[in-house]
Amino acid sequence: MSAVFGRIDYREPGAERADLGAMAVRLAHRAGIEEASSPQKVKDAMDSAVFSRGALGALRSLSDAETPHAAVEPGSAALVLSGSFFSQADDARPEGPAFGGRAPASALFSALYPLREDKRGAARVLRRVSGHFAGAFYDEASGELLLFRDVLGAEPLYWAATQRGIAFASEIRALLALREVRERTRVNLRAVDQLMTWPGPVAPDTFFTGIEAVPAGFMLVFNPKNFQAGSGPERVVFDDFDYPLLKDRRPFGANDDPRPWIEELERLFTRAVGRRLQGNPAFLSSGGIDSALVNTVAKALGANDMHTFSIGFADRAMDERPWQRSVTEAVGSVHHERVVDTKDVYARLPDVVRLGEAPLKESYNGCALMLAEMVRAEGFTSVLSGEGSDELFAGYAGYLLNSEPPEEEAEDPLEQAEEARMRRRLWGDPTFFYEREYAAHERIRRDLYSPDVAERFERFSATARPPVNLAMLRGRHRLNQRTYLDAKLRVADHELTDHGDRVLMSQGITGRYPFLDKDVLEFSARIPPELLIYDEREKYPVRAMGAKYVPKAILNRRKFSFVAAGTPDLLKLRLDWVEELLSRENIRRAGYFDADAVENLKKLYLRPGFRINQTYEEDFLMIVLSFHLWLRIFEMPDFS
């Protein structure tokens, strides 16, 4: 549990120090401290470094008082760090910090300090760190500030330019504690359109103008020169998912043996689980193969007194309790279970919008928050889960589409040509399919915005430019292209952010993700794409590995997406706050969406028997509802 924050002032030295305490209070929950607690508790949990031009701070859990998250060379330089680190003596990484028995902040500071003028050297050091981390390194002599975030974006980090310099923090709420940042921010329409198009906003965009996310795998370099010039930071990629080129791969043939690949994956995954068993963590049990494999491998490694947690649904169509229980029985855990209905899930929607600092497109973050509360109520401060497996090992239904050569689509020639142009712009390939038909989807988005917003559509459209670096797609296998897109668009700024970090850290809980271990990540990129979907099964390497550990009932299940109730169910509850937020008057007053279009959606959603398949279809009304809830919670202005 940890958080970082600070201000570097390039114009009025010392003016920023008074703000550090206000930022720390906004982040107190990340150290397991209630925000209403006494300032002394926050002060006791804070490591800080003060210089003539700035101040940096880090919060650590009071139960982790012996592990500082800051390292300082007085008057010279400082590092503040958040996250979890897994470098071990038995797998020292070339050019990476040798942690040994040292605190990660101290080890990383020692590695970076000699490289203050060598950005490429600093990038090499960061690339070799094994862990989920974010941090800031400041050099007083040059005034240079480095902000960095791991390749998965598991630890959040945001920044904003102020009139005097740069401010940064683990959560946006800490930046909003600064009056000048709060008064200048407006709604970022590009992030809104990204939410309607991709799984969530795409870094560096956030929903707040003037506040940016540090992209996963990036190091941002700030200094007095680029601040004065207004050019923004230098952006250095220090880590990315670099899949082999097709020309460098040997195809996996029918006579090739998959067992060596499965055995190596098992070795690395088992070590990844073992690294995350320190401190008696809790375990999530979703009913799927990924969490089942985490739990059963942990048991095989000797985990004792295991506690598992799950959510069940009163609606049997969504309920996975029979499969959850088969896993908990297999590992002999103390199981904690809560059964919820539509009203329970939607009662938490204001909480998850506030915690996530963002509107949403699904309601299941409410379930994630309830799970986090259950884990905390039992006294745990960390939890293991199966996030990342579907994205790394081709677990979604869309991977089956991407595994086959593209077929000619039977549609209007003009529409087909428009879609091909869109795909070429987004992916560099007119035949590559990801998620949906984007030309038709763009027309829906335009119609949903108010006329005033739609007039500006070309300025903020999510599909006006590629959302990722196309060089990382070019020349790769289609399955690897799809995996790369999911890692960048789904994992970093959605699954591990609003769905993971925010709800867990609201309860002072650290998420631990064995499938996202750096060694597992790097190995997954080398697995032959033909082996990812093999023997007519998606995610074959994980299933083959799981045969040794997981109950057969789980092993043979087809993929079942974790979903919660959609907006059609919510509208039927006739809740006053929902009806007021979606009223024609409120939609028209806010001015972002078209009131008639929203009314038509409401009528459609209320038709008898109407349902949304959340795996394949967008719940546009959820986006509209949660967006207006976000406007109200964060007191954002109407469109003008």
Side-chain angles (χ1 to χ4, degrees):
M1 291 184 281
S2 50
V4 296
F5 50 96
R7 290 193 65 166
I8 303 302
D9 182 2
Y10 294 127
R11 287 187 178 158
E12 296 179 34
E16 74 293 323
R17 298 178 194 174
D19 296 321
L20 214 60
M23 297 174 78
V25 169
R26 295 287 187 98
L27 297 170
H29 56 279
R30 299 185 69 87
I33 303 170
E34 296 286 348
E35 291 188 22
S37 296
S38 70
Q40 185 60 46
K41 284 188 177 181
V42 177
K43 185 177 180 180
D44 291 343
M46 184 166 66
D47 300 315
S48 62
V50 178
F51 298 89
S52 64
R53 289 196 282 195
L56 299 82
L59 286 178
R60 50 186 159 70
S61 169
L62 293 178
S63 63
D64 192 25
E66 299 304 315
T67 308
H69 288 264
V72 183
E73 181 70 25
S76 178
L79 170 78
V80 290
L81 203 58
S82 67
S84 302
F85 300 86
F86 304 106
S87 288
Q88 307 260 327
D90 64 345
D91 66 330
R93 294 170 168 273
E95 301 178 352
F99 286 6
R102 304 170 65 191
S106 176
L108 187 54
F109 180 85
S110 296
L112 290 175
Y113 187 71
L115 301 172
R116 298 188 299 286
E117 298 180 5
D118 180 5
K119 302 301 177 294
R120 295 179 66 180
R124 288 194 299 270
V125 167
L126 292 173
R127 189 181 189 282
R128 302 313 301 169
V129 175
S130 179
H132 302 151
F133 60 91
F137 180 86
Y138 175 67
D139 176 41
E140 172 75 352
S142 65
E144 202 155 69
L145 173 70
L146 311 182
L147 299 181
F148 50 86
R149 189 177 175 208
D150 73 78
V151 68
L152 288 161
E155 283 288 313
L157 187 58
Y158 303 91
W159 69 274
T162 68
Q163 293 179 351
R164 304 188 304 272
I166 302 298
F168 65 90
S170 294
E171 295 186 17
I172 291 172
R173 71 189 70 251
L175 295 174
L176 294 177
L178 307 178
R179 182 176 177 180
E180 59 181 301
V181 175
R182 181 73 187 90
E183 290 180 346
R184 290 162 53 189
T185 192
R186 297 291 184 269
V187 175
N188 182 1
L189 291 173
R190 182 178 292 109
V192 176
D193 204 54
Q194 288 170 346
L195 178 65
M196 291 210 285
T197 308
W198 317 124
V202 181
D205 281 300
T206 73
F207 290 94
F208 300 83
T209 61
I211 300 176
E212 292 192 8
V214 176
F218 272 69
M219 176 177 71
L220 306 188
V221 183
F222 301 86
N223 54 48
K225 184 177 179 180
N226 61 35
F227 176 76
Q228 298 293 347
S231 59
E234 178 186 354
R235 300 171 187 267
V236 179
V237 178
F238 69 83
D239 203 359
D240 206 347
F241 297 86
D242 192 2
Y243 289 94
L245 296 169
L246 276 172
K247 67 181 182 65
D248 298 329
R249 279 191 182 273
R250 186 182 74 82
F252 187 85
N255 296 324
D256 288 323
D257 187 356
R259 286 177 296 181
W261 293 98
I262 308 307
E263 290 167 1
E264 179 63 3
L265 176 60
E266 180 183 4
R267 184 184 74 83
L268 295 174
F269 181 75
T270 300
R271 187 170 70 179
V273 173
R275 288 171 170 173
R276 289 159 175 81
L277 293 181
Q278 303 95 328
N280 188 32
F283 299 83
L284 297 188
S285 180
S286 69
I289 187 173
D290 305 323
S291 63
L293 195 50
V294 171
N295 295 354
T296 52
V297 168
K299 184 65 176 180
L301 289 173
N304 295 313
D305 191 26
M306 293 177 64
H307 285 246
T308 51
F309 295 79
S310 67
I311 290 286
F313 292 95
D315 183 347
R316 294 184 63 184
M318 297 188 294
D319 191 40
E320 296 190 74
R321 279 178 288 169
W323 293 277
Q324 293 165 356
R325 290 169 181 168
S326 71
V327 176
T328 62
E329 290 169 3
V331 300
S333 64
V334 177
H335 188 53
H336 308 268
E337 175 183 284
R338 179 175 175 181
V339 180
V340 301
D341 59 20
T342 303
K343 186 175 290 188
D344 296 323
V345 175
Y346 276 105
R348 308 313 302 270
L349 187 59
D351 294 326
V352 295
V353 169
R354 174 180 58 83
L355 295 170
E357 303 169 325
L360 307 167
K361 61 198 311 176
E362 312 100 345
S363 64
Y364 63 56
N365 282 11
C367 300
L369 178 57
M370 286 185 272
L371 276 171
E373 291 170 342
M374 292 165 61
V375 172
R376 178 168 184 172
E378 295 299 323
F380 292 94
T381 58
S382 60
V383 63
L384 271 70
S385 66
E387 262 81 9
S389 174
D390 286 323
E391 291 79 10
L392 295 179
F393 297 99
Y396 293 121
Y399 283 96
L400 295 173
L401 298 174
N402 291 114
S403 67
E404 301 295 334
E407 297 180 0
E408 194 68 26
E409 296 163 38
E411 58 181 30
D412 180 90
L414 292 179
E415 290 188 3
Q416 187 172 345
E418 183 183 8
E419 179 63 24
R421 285 193 297 271
M422 180 76 79
R423 293 184 188 182
R424 185 183 297 278
R425 179 167 73 239
L426 293 174
W427 319 125
D429 180 349
T431 67
F432 182 78
F433 179 83
Y434 180 71
E435 297 285 310
R436 59 176 58 86
E437 304 286 340
Y438 284 100
H441 189 266
E442 183 179 274
R443 292 192 289 272
I444 295 173
R445 299 188 337 257
R446 283 180 182 267
D447 291 342
L448 191 53
Y449 290 122
S450 70
D452 289 341
V453 171
E455 282 184 5
R456 307 185 183 194
F457 184 78
E458 299 301 332
R459 303 184 202 174
F460 64 80
S461 169
T463 48
R465 60 191 184 191
V468 300
N469 179 5
L470 293 186
M472 304 305 293
L473 299 179
R474 199 171 296 124
R476 272 79 175 183
H477 191 280
R478 284 183 177 271
L479 283 179
N480 290 156
Q481 292 173 331
R482 167 78 194 221
T483 297
Y484 183 83
L485 291 173
D486 273 341
K488 303 299 283 189
L489 301 179
R490 189 180 305 279
V491 175
D493 294 305
H494 171 51
E495 280 196 1
L496 297 184
T497 305
D498 65 77
H499 182 55
D501 175 87
R502 291 302 197 280
V503 293
L504 290 173
M505 276 297 181
S506 74
Q507 304 301 309
I509 296 167
T510 299
R512 298 180 179 178
Y513 312 111
F515 279 106
L516 300 178
D517 182 87
K518 191 169 183 66
D519 292 332
V520 176
L521 282 175
E522 293 177 350
F523 178 73
S524 72
R526 302 199 304 271
I527 294 176
E530 299 86 356
L531 196 55
L532 295 175
I533 296 178
Y534 182 78
D535 197 23
E536 299 184 351
R537 295 304 299 270
E538 76 282 0
K539 204 158 61 175
Y540 175 81
V542 174
R543 294 183 183 280
M545 176 175 61
K548 182 177 176 180
Y549 300 95
V550 175
K552 288 186 178 180
I554 301 291
L555 194 65
N556 296 326
R557 284 188 78 194
R558 284 289 180 183
K559 171 67 178 172
F560 185 95
S561 297
F562 176 42
V563 297
T567 314
D569 300 299
L570 174 62
L571 292 181
K572 295 179 178 67
L573 296 176
R574 300 290 184 183
L575 300 175
D576 290 343
W577 66 272
V578 174
E579 295 194 345
E580 191 275 325
L581 284 172
L582 292 178
S583 68
R584 182 185 292 273
E585 295 75 16
N586 187 59
I587 300 297
R588 184 175 291 153
R589 181 172 57 251
Y592 292 95
F593 291 98
D594 184 80
D596 291 334
V598 173
E599 286 297 313
N600 289 335
L601 279 178
K602 287 160 62 177
K603 291 176 183 177
L604 174 66
Y605 282 29
L606 284 170
R607 286 181 184 174
F610 179 82
R611 295 188 71 86
I612 292 175
N613 184 333
Q614 294 182 47
T615 303
Y616 302 104
E617 299 174 326
E618 294 284 7
D619 187 345
F620 285 108
L621 208 51
M622 168 58 74
I623 295 173
V624 174
L625 172 64
S626 63
F627 173 77
H628 286 86
L629 188 56
W630 172 82
L631 285 179
R632 189 160 296 181
I633 290 171
F634 289 94
E635 300 178 346
M636 299 299 287
D638 296 339
F639 181 77
S640 60

